[in-house]
């Protein structure tokens, strides 16, 4: 198997993240390796703190050699959120990322990002030339970028924001994809992506009011949603195999509507299992059942 199942969890502590991940995967602790992506922080007076973010990687079965994915050279874009492949270990060991080598002399742009002005203009969150180009091309995209940038600024963070129309957009239903990139943005995602979902909802309302039209906004932080969807699909296939072996239904953890939809789509054509959703928001779950 060339792709090993991975799962990213955000929780107040490493122990809680590990417990949640094992519950989702339906595995025991000795079946996974654990990597701490963000050790989090308590913040000041309870504000501005970050939760812990860890990655669980399912170890290959005994006798199976785990394939190592070759790392790619940095192409100039920040790739901190893309982990390097790690060799399988017999038991999980919580690993903290070691301090990186001393960086070279910073450019003026990097220095401004690392040492921001005392009262920076939130409109500067996105480089000015790119922002002007987007606004001149489409005022709705410009409004989406500007509003998301200001919301992030008022949350006490700095990031680069870009917006474009999703490939699935039509004339009657336009979906705007807003991508956010920056350092230490785990707090912007939150537990079970609750903070990210709230930011997306508020931004959609503000863009709609400013442009006087209904706008569907999808906000993503450092590719989190794409990674999460891949993880959810892997969980769906793993739990489907478990249902086939045991002959009993499996109930997954509460998920967002988009995550539940990903599971339904992944198992829609499965010959041995079927899926259904149960419960009320925000505790609605997917149940995987064997076909009769």
């Amino acid at each position: 198997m060339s792709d090993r199942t991975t799962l990213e969890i955000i929780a107040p502590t490493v122990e809680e993240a590990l417990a949640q991940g094992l519950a989702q995967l339906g595995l025991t602790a000795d079946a996974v390796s654990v990597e701490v992506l963000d050790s989090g922080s308590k913040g000041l007076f309870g504000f501005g703190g970050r939760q812990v973010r860890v990655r669980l990687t399912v170890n290959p079965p005994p006798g199976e050699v785990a394939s190592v994915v070759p790392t790619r050279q940095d192409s100039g874009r920040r790739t901190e959120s893309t982990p390097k492949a790690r060799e399988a270990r017999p038991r999980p060991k919580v690993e903290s990322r070691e301090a990186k080598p001393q960086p070279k002399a910073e450019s003026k742009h990097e220095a401004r990002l690392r040492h921001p002005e005392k009262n920076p203009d939130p409109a500067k969150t996105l480089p000015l030339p790119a922002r002007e180009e987007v606004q001149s091309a489409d005022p709705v995209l410009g409004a989406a970028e500007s509003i998301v940038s200001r919301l992030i600024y008022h949350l006490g963070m700095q990031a680069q924001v870009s917006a474009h129309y999703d490939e699935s957009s039509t004339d009657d239903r336009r979906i705007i994809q807003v991508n956010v990139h920056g350092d230490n943005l785990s707090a912007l995602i939150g537990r079970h992506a609750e903070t990210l979902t709230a930011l997306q909802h508020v931004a959609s309302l503000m863009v709609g009011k400013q442009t006087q039209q209904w706008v569907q906004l999808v906000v993503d932080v450092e590719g989190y949603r794409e990674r999460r969807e891949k993880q959810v699909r892997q969980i769906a296939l793993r739990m489907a195999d478990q249902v086939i072996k045991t002959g009993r239904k499996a109930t997954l953890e509460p998920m967002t509507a988009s995550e539940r939809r990903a599971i339904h789509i992944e198992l829609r054509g499965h010959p041995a299992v079927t899926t259904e959703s149960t419960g009320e928001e925000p505790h609605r779950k997917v149940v995987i059942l064997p076909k009769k």
Side-chain angles (χ1 to χ4, degrees):
M1 186 171 70
S2 58
D3 290 330
R4 297 167 58 193
T5 300
T6 62
L7 177 66
E8 288 187 17
I9 297 292
I10 296 175
T13 66
V14 174
E15 290 75 14
E16 291 183 49
L18 178 59
Q20 292 177 25
L22 294 176
Q24 291 186 38
L25 293 171
L27 298 173
T28 56
D30 59 351
V32 300
S33 298
V34 183
E35 178 186 2
V36 177
L37 302 178
D38 189 338
S39 58
S41 67
K42 295 183 179 180
L44 182 63
F45 303 118
F47 295 98
R50 302 194 314 276
Q51 296 195 87
V52 171
R53 181 160 65 99
V54 303
R55 175 182 295 113
L56 278 66
T57 302
V58 177
N59 295 330
E64 180 178 336
V65 179
S67 59
V68 179
V69 181
T71 58
R72 295 179 294 180
Q73 295 294 329
D74 188 0
S75 59
R77 181 180 174 182
R78 237 184 330 267
T79 57
E80 294 177 1
S81 62
T82 304
K84 296 181 180 179
R86 292 182 177 269
E87 183 181 356
R89 293 175 173 81
R91 293 188 66 85
K93 294 181 179 179
V94 178
E95 305 169 356
S96 298
R97 294 197 167 184
E98 299 296 336
K100 296 185 177 179
Q102 192 68 19
K104 297 180 180 179
E106 296 179 318
S107 64
K108 292 183 179 180
H109 175 67
E110 292 173 336
R112 284 197 300 270
L113 288 178
R114 193 173 298 277
H115 306 288
E117 302 173 12
K118 186 174 181 181
N119 295 304
D121 182 356
K124 293 180 180 179
T125 308
L126 182 71
L128 185 57
R131 181 174 299 281
E132 289 179 344
E133 180 180 351
V134 170
Q135 289 181 338
S136 61
D138 191 302
V140 179
L141 294 182
E145 287 188 358
S146 177
I147 287 173
V148 172
S149 296
R150 283 172 167 78
L151 287 174
I152 293 174
Y153 164 75
H154 288 300
L155 288 172
M157 306 178 193
Q158 285 196 338
Q160 290 186 332
V161 180
S162 61
H164 64 274
Y165 287 110
D166 190 85
E167 296 178 354
S168 61
S169 296
T170 62
D171 293 338
D172 298 331
R173 183 171 178 268
R174 295 194 299 177
I175 302 174
I176 297 178
Q177 180 76 38
V178 181
N179 296 319
V180 180
H181 297 282
D183 297 324
N184 301 321
L185 297 179
S186 296
L188 199 58
I189 300 174
R191 184 173 181 269
H192 296 311
E194 292 174 349
T195 305
L196 182 58
T197 300
L199 172 68
Q200 177 177 290
H201 178 67
V202 172
S204 296
L205 295 177
M206 295 176 66
V207 173
K209 182 176 181 180
Q210 179 171 319
T211 60
Q212 295 298 307
Q213 58 181 292
W214 182 81
V215 176
Q216 182 175 354
L217 226 59
V218 178
V219 181
D220 195 6
V221 176
E222 291 289 354
Y224 167 81
R225 292 193 185 279
E226 182 179 353
R227 296 195 307 275
R228 176 59 179 169
E229 181 176 342
K230 182 178 179 180
Q231 294 166 358
V232 166
R233 289 178 181 271
Q234 291 175 336
I235 292 172
L237 294 175
R238 179 177 293 276
M239 297 306 293
D241 291 340
Q242 179 177 317
V243 169
I244 294 172
K245 291 178 182 178
T246 63
R248 296 187 301 231
K249 68 179 182 179
T251 302
L252 306 185
E253 66 161 1
M255 294 182 179
T256 64
S258 61
E259 293 172 352
R260 296 195 303 270
R261 183 168 58 252
I263 291 181
H264 292 313
I265 293 174
E266 183 67 26
L267 299 179
R268 182 167 50 192
H270 199 287
V273 301
T274 184
T275 61
E276 63 180 31
S277 293
T278 182
E280 300 294 334
E281 297 290 0
H283 304 294
R284 196 162 174 79
K285 308 174 182 180
V286 173
V287 180
I288 304 176
L289 310 97
K291 285 185 176 178
K292 297 180 179 179

